[in-house]
Amino acid sequence: MPPEQAAWWTRAVVYQVYPRSFQDSDGDGIGDLGGILRRLDHLVDLGVDVVWLSPVYPSPQADNGYDISDYEDIDPLFGSLAQLDELIAALHERGVKLVMDLVVNHTSDRHPWFLESRSSPDSPKRDWYWWRPPRPGLEPGRPGAEPTNWHSFFSGPTWELDEASGEYYLHLFAREQPDLNWENPEVRRAVYAMMRRWLDRGVDGFRMDVINMISKDVGADGSLPDGPPLPGLPYGDGTPSFLCGPRIHEFLQEMHHEVFDGRRESLLLVGEMPGVTVEQARLFTDPARAEVDMVFQFEHVGLDFDGSKWRPRPLRMRDLKASFGRWQAGLADVGWNSLYWDNHDQPRAVSRFGDDSPRFRRDSATCLATLLHLHRGTPYVYQGEELGMANAPFTGIDDFRDVESRGHFAQAVAHGEDPDDVLAAMRRMSRDNARTPVQWDASPSAGFTTGTPWIAVNPDHAEWNAEAQRGDPASVLAHHRRLIALRHDDPVVALGDFSMLLPEHDELYAFTRSLDGATLLVVCNVGGAAQPIGELLPQAVGAELVLGNLPGDGDPALLRPWEARVLRLP
Ligand code: TEU
């Protein structure tokens, strides 16, 4: 396809704001819309095209806003609708789009829909959620009496008993997050109407939370099956019954038709899809099918643990290459990739895949960024990633805030695991690593708040902060600026064909991107030892350097530790 005909988001870079941790403006220790408005210069300076804003709707905050009790308003914790309008206008004035989080697999248990559904088995909204009696012959409330054996993503069973009716409701995530029943057409109509109202307000698209879980594989008689047992737990794996379920494509096409028809071109639609395969992603992102523009897949963030994220192990580079390589090839002719290391659910990439020791932190952060941004797809930068922010030095359980981490700790310790081992895994993998406040400057609360931050600021902010990096051309921040500008300027970066080189090599990550006779060669040393490349990649030696992450020219035939080079081949 000629570059001028490609969708705008092929050239775009998205920046994710997790509002609670971005910038506080009223001193309550929690970030807010006023804070984002104050930091627009940072985003403009970076050059991003889109801001994706994690949920700011009214919410009891059981899962930091992913439990929504009103889809139509803004939580006073974060500000007001007037401020959101101000933010939309301010971003648009600067040529930046705003994408909102759409969380419609579940609501909060305080949403009026659920309160009404819960009020009585005869409620007209009873069927808006998944209500089921206990397992036949078992007392309601007894462990094992749950309608299915499914394990919740946040520990414990996916079913919560409602004492009043003696029935259980389904929640794939926390018990405060009951799943909506998408089989019911009234639910779907209500969601679509809500989405249209946000688009009419000026938002430019949606990041759709766990959207591949909305279709459950329910029998004609309403039955849901047990899943295969999970090792060491009294639960089973329910995912076969709700990941990419039987009606998922139908629902997304219906949504497209009902909400996006006629205005799709200017929007960004990205579906978050744990467990999605390349083959399924091709279907979801085929423009002809009109479902979503791209998906967030999870394969590459599942390579450094055994089955459960709480059993981490080192990443093997060849596994990462095999995975990224397959996704690049699988969506080469149809569909599109999204590219990310970090988001609010993942530990910090520099600590996880790079080396956050003082010696290599800057170099590995910029190397990983180069590697990611030079793939074919739309890159997502998560707040603080552009500063090289690292995992937090959590000590005890009281340092953690996240419902997932805390639930896991309680469950694992109750099942006899050693608390120190559990904490060690949490230090590596907890979502709270991503949620410490953005490090703006070296002052005591990192410029994030004048009050007490809701989660501790990482003490390394004294050295690692935006102010220190702003004027420094060698900073992680400056490197991100250059990567984003390169995608804007060079159609080869946006659209060029991808071809993986040296797939078996564990220290070198190399590939080419080619378009209309122009070729970029990307070579990255993903480790702490220098790597000779003269024999493996002779074409790299003497080629023009478009962008590199280390100062000086170095030896053209030797990559320094964590060095990344983008070269133009003659
Ligand atoms: O996450 C969905 C999801 O399955 C994972 O990323 C999840 O965080 C998992 O537990 C990681 O181990 C989305 C949101 O991004 C997340 O913040 C929410 O907690 C979740 O949905 C529920 O809305």
Side-chain angles (χ1 to χ4, degrees):
M1 169 189 315
E4 31 332 319
Q5 277 170 34
W8 63 270
W9 34 256
T10 58
R11 289 182 301 279
V13 176
V14 184
Y15 186 92
Q16 183 191 354
V17 170
Y18 192 65
R20 166 177 280 273
S21 305
F22 189 68
Q23 174 68 58
D24 182 19
S25 69
D26 60 5
D28 68 354
I30 297 174
D32 46 38
L33 293 176
I36 303 173
L37 281 161
R38 249 170 53 193
R39 294 291 185 186
L40 291 181
D41 287 351
H42 180 74
L43 306 177
V44 171
D45 168 63
L46 196 53
V48 297
D49 306 276
V50 182
V51 169
W52 148 30
L53 182 59
S54 276
V56 287
Y57 316 94
S59 160
Q61 304 287 324
D63 186 17
N64 291 355
Y66 284 90
D67 49 321
I68 297 170
S69 53
D70 179 358
Y71 286 115
E72 313 286 341
D73 207 345
I74 302 296
D75 197 301
L77 195 62
F78 295 122
S80 62
L81 273 173
Q83 271 178 311
L84 185 83
D85 290 341
E86 204 186 321
L87 179 63
I88 295 173
L91 287 171
H92 285 177
E93 252 168 55
R94 291 161 176 80
V96 179
K97 293 181 188 265
L98 181 71
V99 161
M100 297 283 273
D101 224 298
L102 177 80
V103 189
V104 290
N105 173 70
H106 43 268
T107 66
S108 161
D109 63 345
R110 294 303 158 85
H111 195 290
W113 296 345
F114 185 73
L115 296 179
E116 198 178 327
S117 180
R118 180 175 208 156
S119 66
S120 149
D122 305 321
S123 152
K125 287 211 168 52
R126 188 67 167 180
D127 183 52
W128 280 42
Y129 294 83
W130 296 87
W131 290 98
R132 291 292 182 278
R135 207 173 273 272
L138 292 184
E139 254 331 79
R142 217 193 94 174
E146 293 84 13
T148 68
N149 67 349
W150 303 350
H151 187 228
S152 144
F153 286 103
F154 293 161
S155 306
T158 57
W159 297 95
E160 182 74 7
L161 178 66
D162 171 55
E163 300 278 353
S165 65
E167 291 190 332
Y168 289 83
Y169 66 85
L170 176 70
H171 60 90
L172 299 183
F173 293 88
R175 66 164 65 84
E176 296 90 346
Q177 294 167 299
D179 278 53
L180 279 167
N181 177 14
W182 276 70
E183 299 293 318
N184 185 322
E186 287 175 31
V187 168
R188 306 205 297 275
R189 271 200 295 275
V191 168
Y192 303 151
M194 172 273 283
M195 293 173 74
R196 284 192 295 263
R197 282 191 287 274
W198 284 107
L199 293 181
D200 292 344
R201 200 159 198 117
V203 314
D204 303 292
F206 298 100
R207 174 271 186 188
M208 306 175 185
D209 193 65
V210 292
I211 202 69
N212 66 330
M213 301 190 193
I214 59 177
S215 165
K216 274 78 173 170
D217 193 0
V218 55
D221 57 353
S223 60
L224 296 164
D226 279 341
L230 285 168
L233 288 173
Y235 304 107
D237 173 14
T239 57
S241 295
F242 57 77
L243 289 187
C244 299
R247 300 182 69 186
I248 183 63
H249 294 289
E250 176 198 331
F251 291 161
L252 285 178
Q253 286 174 13
E254 180 184 76
M255 173 192 287
H256 210 288
H257 203 65
E258 295 288 325
V259 184
F260 307 128
D261 263 3
R263 46 182 165 189
R264 171 179 184 187
E265 307 302 274
S266 62
L267 302 180
L268 175 67
L269 312 172
V270 49
E272 190 213 23
M273 300 197 177
V276 70
T277 65
V278 187
E279 293 69 32
Q280 289 160 340
R282 265 177 84 90
L283 298 176
F284 286 121
T285 65
D286 177 353
R289 294 170 57 90
E291 296 181 21
V292 292
D293 297 325
M294 60 192 91
V295 305
F296 288 133
Q297 54 100 355
F298 281 66
E299 209 174 270
H300 65 296
V301 289
L303 299 173
D304 61 345
F305 55 77
D306 278 318
S308 155
K309 71 188 259 183
W310 307 115
R311 284 192 293 275
R313 59 171 161 84
L315 169 77
R316 290 196 319 174
M317 198 41 68
R318 75 186 71 175
D319 294 345
L320 181 71
K321 289 185 193 181
S323 173
F324 271 168
R326 245 173 350 90
W327 280 85
Q328 291 283 306
L331 302 182
D333 53 340
V334 171
W336 191 251
N337 273 288
S338 62
L339 308 168
Y340 73 94
W341 293 125
D342 275 340
N343 60 42
H344 64 294
D345 294 333
Q346 301 294 331
R348 291 287 182 177
V350 67
S351 304
R352 184 182 191 180
F353 303 121
D355 179 343
D356 63 8
S357 69
R359 175 150 177 235
F360 289 132
R361 179 159 166 187
R362 183 224 159 264
D363 298 348
S364 66
T366 49
C367 180
L368 288 173
T370 310
L371 194 163
L372 189 79
H373 282 244
L374 267 292
H375 278 72
R376 187 168 185 272
T378 300
Y380 287 71
V381 178
Y382 175 66
Q383 63 184 38
E385 185 176 6
E386 79 280 19
L387 306 173
M389 277 181 64
N391 280 355
F394 297 120
T395 50
I397 182 65
D398 291 340
D399 294 341
F400 292 90
R401 298 284 177 273
D402 180 24
V403 60
E404 181 192 45
S405 293
R406 298 180 70 94
H408 166 67
F409 183 82
Q411 174 170 294
V413 171
H415 282 86
E417 284 184 51
D418 179 342
D420 288 335
D421 294 346
V422 179
L423 283 171
M426 283 167 56
R427 253 176 240 122
R428 277 176 73 168
M429 300 305 275
S430 172
R431 309 195 295 182
D432 279 334
N433 282 301
R435 300 176 179 186
T436 61
V438 170
Q439 297 168 199
W440 297 106
D441 60 41
S443 68
S445 287
F448 165 69
T449 181
T450 54
T452 308
W454 69 276
I455 187 170
V457 170
N458 193 324
D460 70 7
H461 74 277
E463 190 185 346
W464 291 87
N465 64 70
E467 193 177 68
Q469 295 189 26
R470 206 158 288 134
D472 175 5
S475 65
V476 181
L477 178 61
H479 192 73
H480 274 86
R481 219 184 268 136
R482 285 192 291 269
L483 287 170
I484 293 167
L486 184 63
R487 173 167 294 263
H488 290 158
D489 294 346
D490 192 337
V492 182
V493 176
L495 296 172
D497 291 336
F498 177 97
S499 175
M500 188 72 82
L501 306 173
L502 312 176
E504 302 295 320
H505 206 293
D506 271 322
E507 275 80 34
L508 290 174
Y509 195 119
F511 55 89
T512 58
R513 303 288 313 281
S514 308
L515 184 75
D516 298 333
T519 298
L520 293 175
L521 170 65
V522 182
V523 284
C524 302
N525 178 359
V526 285
Q531 295 292 331
I533 53 168
E535 270 168 38
L536 288 171
L537 298 164
Q539 67 278 40
V541 183
E544 176 205 346
L545 183 68
V546 177
L547 196 149
N549 71 329
L550 297 191
D553 291 337
D555 176 348
L558 191 75
L559 282 187
R560 291 166 281 180
W562 292 105
E563 180 165 12
R565 291 184 194 155
V566 181
L567 303 157
R568 196 176 311 279
L569 295 186

